[in-house]
Amino acid sequence: MTESARTQNRTENRTENRTENRNRTRTRVPDQTQILPVPGAVGELYDRLTLSAMRDGTFNPNVHIGYWDSPDSEATIDEAMDRLTDVFIDWLKADSSSHVLDLGCGVGGPGLRVVSHTGARVTGISISEEQIKTANRLAAEAGLADRAVFRHGDAMGLPFSDGAFDAVMALESVCHMPDREQVFTEVARVLAPGGRLVLTDVFDRHPRKAVRHPGIDKFCRDLMSTTADIDDYVALLHRCGLRLRGILDITEQTTLRLAEELARAATAEDRPAAMNEGNFDFTDEDAFRPSDLAGADDFGCLLVIAERP
C-alpha cells in the first residue's frame, strides 16, 4: 500500500469514527437505554394497525391523544382528539395562503381538519403505506384532494426543497423516529423563514422514579418509540436551527386524562375506534394496551412551538 493510500485510509477511518461518535451522542438518553425505532419496521407496524382498525369498516381518522382544556371538561375522547388538532391550528398561524407539512400524518384526520378550518394546503407524509392510501381516500371522499395530498416518505430525509413550507405539524410522531436531531434539522431546512413547527412529544417526567411505570416500557417497546430528553430539548431545537417559542408540559390535559377516560370506558363499545384495544393486535400476552398507561404520571407529554428565524 502506498503512503497516500494509507493516509487516505486513516482519514476515512477518523471521519467514520467522528460520525459514529456524533450519532451515539445524538441518540443517547441519560439514565436509561432505549431501543431506537427503525423506520421500515415502524411503517410495517402502522400498516398492520391501520388494517386492523379498518377491519370492521369503521375507525377514527385521528390516531393521536386528546386534549381536555380543564379538569372539569366534559368532552368525549373523540371531541378531545379534535380539540388537540385545534390547539395545533391555533399555534400554527396558518391561513389560506399557507402550505403546511404534516409530519407523520397518520390517516390524515388532523391534516384534513387543518384544511377545512384554515383553507391552507396540506402535504402529509407517513412511513406507513397503508396510512397514506387511507389518507388520500379520505381526502377524496371529503372533496379536499385538491388541498390535501399525502405521500409515503421518511422524516429522516424529507423529499422536499428548502423553504417549501410555511408551517410543520407533528402530532405524536417524532417519538417513532430514530434521531430527533436529524428530523428537526430537516424540518428547519424545509421551513421558510418565520415558519412554525408545532409538535407533541413524549418524555420521562421529573422527578424520575426509581422504577419507571411498566406501561411506558410496553408503549416504547411495542409501538417502537423513545421518550425525549427533556433537559436537552431547548438546546436540541437551537442546534437544528430553530428558535423556541414555547414549551409546555400538557400531561394532565392529555395522556393522564386519556388514561382516566379509557379506564371509565369499561367496554370496547364505549371507546373510540382508534382506542379499541383489539386494534393493538400484538401476539404477546404482555403486549401494550392503552389502558396500561393508567396512572403513569411519569409518562409526560410536551407541546412544543418553534420557528425558523
Side-chain angles (χ1 to χ4, degrees):
M1 180 181 294
T2 66
E3 182 61 30
S4 61
R6 283 194 294 269
T7 301
Q8 181 178 355
N9 284 342
R10 285 196 298 269
T11 301
E12 290 173 349
N13 288 338
R14 284 197 299 268
T15 301
E16 290 171 358
N17 289 338
R18 283 196 299 268
T19 300
E20 183 179 355
N21 289 336
R22 186 167 62 248
N23 288 339
R24 274 202 297 265
T25 301
R26 258 200 319 250
T27 55
R28 180 181 60 85
V29 178
D31 303 326
Q32 65 190 59
T33 300
Q34 300 198 89
I35 298 174
L36 298 180
V38 177
V42 173
E44 292 173 1
L45 169 66
Y46 276 91
D47 284 347
R48 180 156 55 92
L49 293 179
T50 301
L51 291 172
S52 176
M54 292 192 301
R55 194 166 291 147
D56 62 359
T58 61
F59 70 105
N60 190 319
N62 292 312
V63 189
H64 60 77
I65 57 177
Y67 183 92
W68 287 263
D69 288 279
S70 65
D72 57 354
S73 170
E74 297 180 357
T76 66
I77 296 176
D78 283 328
E79 291 168 342
M81 288 176 170
D82 283 337
R83 177 64 185 132
L84 181 59
T85 303
D86 292 344
V87 169
F88 268 61
I89 290 172
D90 290 342
W91 283 109
L92 285 170
K93 308 297 184 185
D95 58 29
S96 59
S97 67
S98 303
H99 190 186
V100 178
L101 173 63
D102 188 354
L103 197 71
C105 60
V107 295
L112 295 178
R113 192 171 180 88
V114 170
V115 173
S116 63
H117 280 57
T118 70
R121 288 187 299 129
V122 169
T123 296
I125 69 160
S126 171
I127 200 70
S128 164
E129 294 183 358
E130 290 297 332
Q131 286 188 334
I132 293 303
K133 290 177 185 176
T134 304
N136 282 314
R137 174 175 61 80
L138 293 177
E141 291 174 356
L144 297 175
D146 61 328
R147 303 294 293 173
V149 176
F150 302 94
R151 56 188 288 184
H152 185 255
D154 187 348
M156 299 284 285
L158 292 172
F160 306 111
S161 60
D162 296 358
F165 296 96
D166 303 294
V168 176
M169 57 188 283
L171 282 83
E172 299 156 53
S173 58
V174 177
C175 62
H176 300 295
M177 301 169 189
D179 189 336
R180 286 172 173 83
E181 186 162 337
Q182 182 170 336
V183 172
F184 292 160
T185 299
E186 280 291 278
V187 167
R189 180 182 65 79
V190 302
L191 269 176
R196 283 200 164 185
L197 165 66
V198 182
L199 66 91
T200 46
D201 203 352
V202 295
F203 72 104
D204 287 296
R205 264 180 132 193
H206 287 266
R208 293 187 178 178
K209 298 182 178 179
V211 178
R212 191 162 75 165
H213 191 288
I216 303 174
D217 291 326
K218 287 184 179 183
F219 172 88
C220 291
R221 179 194 68 200
D222 291 343
L223 292 183
M224 301 183 186
S225 305
T226 60
T227 53
D229 179 4
I230 182 64
D231 296 327
D232 185 51
Y233 220 100
V234 174
L236 169 63
L237 292 169
H238 292 169
R239 288 196 302 273
C240 298
L242 296 166
R243 174 187 293 149
L244 179 71
R245 294 303 304 267
I247 185 166
L248 296 170
D249 180 345
I250 58 170
T251 305
E252 277 77 16
Q253 296 97 324
T254 56
T255 49
L256 273 179
R257 179 64 183 271
L258 178 61
E260 292 172 3
E261 294 294 328
L262 290 174
R264 293 192 190 106
T267 65
E269 289 75 17
D270 296 327
R271 293 175 176 159
M275 291 295 164
N276 183 343
E277 299 203 336
N279 291 336
F280 295 83
D281 187 20
F282 303 111
T283 56
D284 187 348
E285 291 182 1
D286 190 42
F288 172 74
R289 301 290 184 270
S291 58
D292 289 332
L293 291 172
D297 63 350
D298 47 338
F299 184 62
C301 182
L302 286 177
L303 174 65
V304 179
I305 306 99
E307 68 181 16
R308 180 185 168 193

